[in-house]
Amino acid sequence: MSQSAPKGLRLHIGLFGRRNVGKSSLLNAITRQQVAIVSPVAGTTTDPVEKPMELLPLGPVLFIDTAGIDDVGALGEMRIARTTAVFDRTDLGIVVSAEGEWGPFERELVAALQSRRIPVLVAMNKADRGRATDALAAELAVASIPLVPTAAIDGTGVGELRQRLIELAPADFVDSPAIVSDLVGPGETAVLVVPIDKEAPKGRLILPQVQTIRDLLDGDALSLVVKERELRHALGLLRTPPKLVVTDSQAFLKVAADVPPEIKMTGFSILFSRSKGDLLTQVAGALAIERLQPGDRVLIAEACAHHPIGEDIGRVKIPRWLTQFVGGQLAFTHVQGHDFPADLHRYHLVIQCGSCMLNRRAVLSRIHHCREAGVPITNYGLAIAYSLGIFARALSPFPAALELYRSLAHDGGGR
């Protein structure tokens, strides 16, 4: 992938530590660029600084330089809150200490990362001034945490640090889940239904569609891209029925009517529920729509921060379909980007977008937070399919998900 690879496809590497231990200097040394402002004044980094780069042989990564975790004062507390929020989208953590110092701050950082099952290594920076004690080295060795002495000022240890990052990269990044190619197969055809409306960027396709096409190409499969009005005509031109039809969720009803029942169909957003998150959990979450009552609170979380337009899917269409399904007004709350509320217990349902802009760690973290709060979570495509009454049809390519839905519906969990 190139430098322009979307953030959601990059391995997210977070740098954490006290103020003035050289996190920003280390980031500049790793990336060989002046990415972060460096100053001897403690607390120079105020908000997380992101730097995309290529880390061969892994490919695209995103480094996140965070504010010092020991910041003080009211403003410092806000910086710390933003730093700890980065945990939820970190795939691999670097705890940076300096001059041989190690204490409760560093141990708490390591514990916070490990509690989230995030691989972690320790960079003992400013190694030219002081090194880790034998006791600390032994402590980290027992915990199987790599320790790398570094000196950002002259590049000492930076090469070893890069190598350790490659070795610690999570397997689900190295062997990232396919979006759709495993459902289609080499030489088979997928028909992709792409409505061209106000939300489609002029002259371009939206990111989930582009990523799906690329995944099909990587899997040596064929893709036929059509608008919803040309779908029936396109199917008639094919000598062999397609293995799968994938549609933008907004066209679900028309596509379901035009695609013969023997051909499997689903939505882009549902594909991303599987590749970016946990499809089975979000399928179960969709059944909570059946139990919604007028006045219930619903959180709609969108990863990208675009300016909403007239018929926005998250702010207009999904609320409309859910309101029609429930038969009364619901209380909708919308968040965008990396914002995700801590008071999830207030909500009866969380609906996450397809999350093409988030990495898998961030989506799984949101699912985990909802599970801890006892709140069901689903995603755009699943919520739309359920509210429109075509849930089983949209799950046809996923036998385990379809079986789960039927078992839960049989037990009274849904239609």
Side-chain angles (χ1 to χ4, degrees), residues 75-108:
L75 184 57
E77 291 178 2
M78 294 175 61
R79 294 173 182 172
I80 291 172
R82 293 190 178 186
T83 292
T84 53
V86 174
F87 288 151
D88 286 343
R89 55 189 175 103
T90 295
D91 297 305
L92 200 161
I94 304 174
V95 174
V96 184
S97 187
E99 304 176 57
E101 295 180 356
W102 189 262
F105 284 115
E106 289 77 15
R107 288 189 175 92
E108 289 175 11

Side-chain angles (χ1 to χ4, degrees), residues 58-72:
L58 283 179
V61 302
L62 183 75
F63 282 100
I64 310 173
D65 181 21
T66 63
I69 202 69
D70 62 331
D71 212 341
V72 294

Side-chain angles (χ1 to χ4, degrees), residues 195-270:
I196 302 299
D197 55 18
K198 291 182 180 180
E199 293 195 33
K202 187 176 180 61
R204 296 181 290 125
L205 300 177
I206 62 174
L207 191 56
Q209 298 159 0
V210 173
Q211 292 178 0
T212 301
I213 294 171
R214 175 56 192 266
D215 186 59
L216 288 166
L217 291 172
D218 289 340
D220 297 325
L222 310 177
S223 59
L224 174 60
V225 183
V226 301
K227 292 183 290 187
E228 71 274 24
R229 294 189 297 274
E230 284 78 39
L231 173 60
R232 183 175 296 181
H233 175 65
L235 292 174
L237 295 177
L238 295 175
R239 290 185 179 180
T240 304
K243 193 72 174 290
L244 181 66
V245 174
V246 183
T247 179
D248 187 287
S249 303
Q250 301 179 65
F252 256 143
L253 284 180
K254 177 167 178 52
V255 172
D258 287 348
V259 175
E262 64 271 15
I263 298 176
K264 294 179 180 179
M265 63 155 282
T266 192
F268 289 102
S269 183
I270 296 176

Side-chain angles (χ1 to χ4, degrees), residues 278-355:
D278 180 345
L279 177 59
L280 296 182
T281 296
Q282 292 187 307
V283 164
L287 272 64
I289 295 173
E290 191 73 30
R291 303 188 294 273
L292 289 177
Q293 300 292 327
D296 283 353
R297 296 177 179 270
V298 178
L299 175 68
I300 297 182
E302 188 164 24
C304 55
H306 72 278
H307 183 71
I309 61 173
E311 285 290 292
D312 186 77
I313 182 68
R315 295 176 182 269
V316 177
K317 293 185 178 179
I318 289 178
R320 179 197 302 151
W321 286 321
L322 288 180
T323 298
Q324 291 172 347
F325 184 93
V326 173
Q329 291 297 319
L330 297 164
F332 292 98
T333 299
H334 297 82
V335 294
Q336 287 185 292
H338 295 301
D339 292 339
F340 201 65
D343 56 346
L344 291 170
H345 62 276
R346 299 174 59 242
Y347 300 99
H348 296 82
L349 176 65
V350 174
I351 305 177
Q352 175 66 47
C353 71
S355 304

Side-chain angles (χ1 to χ4, degrees), residues 100-178:
E101 295 180 356
W102 189 262
F105 284 115
E106 289 77 15
R107 288 189 175 92
E108 289 175 11
L109 282 171
V110 169
L113 291 164
Q114 289 185 320
S115 70
R116 291 167 170 80
R117 300 189 179 183
I118 300 173
V120 58
L121 64 82
V122 172
M124 190 59 68
N125 201 27
K126 305 183 183 180
D128 53 317
R129 303 182 188 177
R131 291 181 172 268
T133 64
D134 291 341
L136 173 57
E139 174 187 333
L140 296 176
V142 169
S144 299
I145 297 174
L147 171 63
V148 182
T150 61
I153 192 169
D154 62 7
T156 298
V158 173
E160 181 184 353
L161 182 60
R162 289 197 192 99
Q163 182 58 39
R164 289 289 192 172
L165 292 174
I166 293 169
E167 294 170 357
L168 286 175
D172 64 356
F173 177 82
V174 178
D175 303 316
S176 56

